[in-house]
Amino acid sequence: MSKFLDERYSSLEAYVPGEQPQDKKYIKLNTNESPFPPSPEVVEAVTGEQVEKLCLYSDPQSKMLKRAIAREFSLEEKNVFVSNGSDEILNFAFMLYGKQKGTLFPDITYGFYKVFGDLYHIDYTEIPLKEDFTIDVNDYIGKDKFIVLANPNAPTGITLKQEDIIRIIESNPKSIVLVDEAYVDFGGKSCYELIKKYDNLIVCQTFSKSRSLAGARLGFCFANEEIINDLETIKYSTNPYNINRLTQLIGEKAIESGEYYAENCRKIIENREYTENELKALGFEILPSKANFVFAKHPRYDGEKLYLKLKEKGILVRHFTKERICQYNRITIGSKEQMTALADTLKTILSEEK
């Protein structure tokens, strides 16, 4: 930290992304990216003519992209906000709604929630998950605070039933409830239609996972018009051109390629089931996932040691050091070939320990 840093930020612990080592070629199962390329329509859209237009600013209103998203989800454009990755939505929401009444989120969830809480000096509470890593809905009933829930949760992959989310929303009518649905397309149920009924709900999604655009940095959310206006105000107060021209274009084409991405999600779900069966046969304990990853531990192999052994053999998975989950590793679901290679490598590692 430099001597010029405002002391309020001197103790800030930044979010740590999944590692991206370049020392050799890895099977990369650590950052929940899609193993499939963007749709052909997305690839074809990036022409030389479009690249030449990068000398011009992008549309700050992202009109065409919003229109495509609204049409796809049968909502109005006034209920759609688009962002530079869904993390930007989370950033704005914590900034806008987190401090006045305080904030609640689970103790084991997406790590950026805590970072945003610290960044904005928010009085937040990390509510412990139950022993089985599920959310106790009663912990969020009638709290009158900003509530943030990833559904499916990360890194566990466990979902919360929609009726339970509705209970939370209805019991906190004067506070915002944000449902982060980054992984919803892999077997979860979206709450986006609930914004028509509840004016305190934000539903956040991303193009990074199911739509194969992690490198494009594009997110979106749904909410009532007043909340969308709040988010737009912060956007125009920080970075009006937050989404570049090419990302707006390929986002629109990705939305229009729904069948292509639905088929990819189906393949990932199949590969997840295959991976779960293979890991269970090797003695792993796995949490029930509805995401594009599994969270697994082996009763006789240390979690960090296994992560390092896989890395040594050319496979990256994500290891967390938090005490409750340090024996687990989060494994992204890739192609069938990648998951077969993982299973074979794990068999080798476990056999070496006998």
Side-chain angles (χ1 to χ4, degrees):
M1 298 292 184
S2 78
K3 64 181 179 181
F4 306 103
L5 183 69
D6 187 319
E7 63 180 13
R8 291 176 299 173
Y9 304 108
S10 60
S11 61
L12 183 65
E13 293 185 23
Y15 176 74
V16 179
E19 60 186 323
Q20 307 273 5
Q22 305 295 321
D23 57 316
K24 64 181 180 181
K25 186 176 182 179
Y26 289 92
I27 294 177
K28 199 165 176 295
L29 305 177
N30 67 325
T31 50
N32 297 341
E33 297 147 317
S34 174
F36 304 109
S39 71
E41 291 80 6
V42 168
V43 175
E44 291 170 6
V46 184
T47 63
E49 179 184 357
Q50 293 296 332
V51 171
E52 288 176 356
K53 291 181 180 179
L54 289 175
C55 60
L56 304 174
Y57 282 114
S58 57
D59 173 15
Q61 297 181 20
S62 300
K63 291 178 185 177
M64 299 301 292
L65 177 57
K66 283 185 181 179
R67 187 171 303 164
I69 294 172
R71 183 169 56 245
E72 174 68 17
F73 288 85
S74 299
L75 296 172
E76 296 184 52
E77 292 175 45
K78 66 182 181 181
N79 298 121
V80 179
F81 178 78
V82 292
S83 59
N84 191 307
S86 58
D87 288 336
E88 185 173 61
I89 296 167
L90 299 173
N91 183 12
F92 290 172
F94 271 81
M95 185 192 309
L96 286 163
Y97 310 116
K99 195 165 187 176
Q100 184 177 3
K101 298 179 178 180
T103 298
L104 302 179
F105 49 82
D107 66 332
I108 297 172
T109 190
Y110 183 32
F112 234 138
Y113 302 159
K114 184 179 185 301
V115 174
F116 287 136
D118 290 334
L119 178 64
Y120 296 115
H121 309 288
I122 292 169
D123 179 16
Y124 63 85
T125 301
E126 297 176 271
I127 298 180
L129 296 178
K130 293 193 290 186
E131 195 65 29
D132 63 356
F133 295 105
T134 59
I135 288 172
D136 188 337
V137 177
N138 293 322
D139 289 335
Y140 299 87
I141 299 298
K143 299 300 183 180
D144 194 26
K145 295 179 183 293
F146 177 46
I147 294 172
V148 183
L149 298 170
N151 193 43
N153 196 13
T156 66
I158 297 174
T159 58
L160 193 60
K161 294 179 181 178
Q162 188 170 104
E163 52 262 40
D164 289 331
I165 292 174
I166 290 173
R167 283 183 60 203
I168 293 170
I169 296 168
E170 291 183 341
S171 73
N172 295 280
K174 296 182 179 180
S175 298
I176 296 291
V177 176
L178 187 151
V179 181
D180 183 354
E181 295 185 343
Y183 302 101
V184 74
D185 292 330
F186 302 104
K189 181 176 175 58
S190 178
C191 293
Y192 75 89
E193 290 187 326
L194 297 179
I195 69 154
K196 299 174 183 178
K197 183 176 181 180
Y198 301 105
D199 65 0
N200 62 325
L201 173 64
I202 301 174
V203 177
C204 181
Q205 294 195 16
T206 180
F207 282 73
S208 294
K209 314 302 180 184
S210 62
R211 295 180 180 87
S212 303
L213 290 177
R217 311 310 304 130
L218 183 59
F220 59 104
C221 73
F222 307 113
N224 77 69
E225 187 176 5
E226 291 183 355
I227 291 175
I228 297 299
N229 288 338
D230 291 345
L231 296 169
E232 294 283 2
T233 297
I234 296 299
K235 185 196 84 167
Y236 279 96
S237 300
T238 53
N239 183 12
Y241 305 103
N242 64 330
I243 304 173
N244 68 69
R245 297 180 66 91
L246 293 182
T247 296
Q248 288 187 30
L249 174 64
I250 64 178
E252 181 185 348
K253 296 301 179 182
I255 285 291
E256 294 171 356
S257 306
E259 291 184 8
Y260 171 84
Y261 292 110
E263 175 63 15
N264 287 348
C265 287
R266 185 189 64 77
K267 292 176 183 176
I268 289 172
I269 291 170
E270 286 184 356
N271 293 345
R272 183 181 69 207
E273 293 171 353
Y274 163 80
T275 303
E276 289 172 340
N277 290 335
E278 289 291 309
L279 294 184
K280 287 176 182 177
L282 292 173
F284 281 86
E285 299 173 17
I286 305 170
L287 299 186
S289 175
K290 292 293 184 181
N292 67 334
F293 57 82
V294 294
F295 206 45
K297 71 174 181 178
H298 199 280
R300 62 180 179 84
Y301 212 110
D302 178 75
E304 183 178 20
K305 183 179 177 183
L306 184 59
Y307 146 72
L308 291 171
K309 198 70 175 177
L310 282 168
K311 184 177 180 180
E312 177 186 309
K313 293 181 178 295
I315 298 178
L316 295 175
V317 298
R318 186 76 187 266
H319 181 72
F320 299 88
T321 58
K322 199 165 187 174
E323 184 176 356
R324 284 190 69 187
I325 57 174
C326 64
Q327 292 307 312
Y328 286 84
N329 284 295
R330 192 194 69 193
I331 304 169
T332 300
I333 302 301
S335 67
K336 183 66 175 295
E337 292 74 20
Q338 288 176 321
M339 305 324 291
T340 300
L342 170 74
D344 290 344
T345 302
L346 287 171
K347 289 174 188 175
T348 299
I349 291 172
L350 294 173
S351 67
E352 292 171 349
E353 289 296 303
K354 290 182 180 180

